[in-house]
Amino acid sequence: MGVDCVWTLKLAVQTHEENGVWVANCPALDVASQGNDPEDAVKMLKEALQLVMEHCLEENTWMAFLEERGVTPASR
């Protein structure tokens, strides 16, 4: 029997233009991506973050990944 889990993450995202390419960066998790415009860069960053999370969850390394970056879960 599996267990469903829902996570809500609130992460700061920075965007900037670099040599004609837009870069979106999530400093807290040290993940970045790029796109043709700011919206595209953020969309690509969301996809990158999802892939990182899926990989970490498959490998059971999500909490270690967060701890390495100084991110700790907040209690509700």
Side-chain angles (χ1 to χ4, degrees), residues 15-73:
T15 58
H16 67 277
E17 189 176 10
E18 192 173 301
N19 299 322
V21 176
W22 280 92
V23 177
N25 178 41
C26 175
L29 299 181
D30 194 27
V31 177
S33 195
Q34 62 186 35
N36 297 320
D37 54 51
E39 294 81 15
D40 188 41
V42 170
K43 176 185 171 194
M44 299 304 288
L45 176 62
K46 286 179 182 178
E47 290 180 18
L49 289 167
Q50 182 174 351
L51 290 172
V52 167
M53 182 183 288
E54 288 173 1
H55 173 76
C56 287
L57 291 173
E58 287 172 5
E59 299 295 320
N60 198 29
T61 58
W62 178 241
M63 293 308 293
F65 175 83
L66 293 176
E67 288 172 6
E68 287 172 4
R69 286 149 183 83
V71 177
T72 55

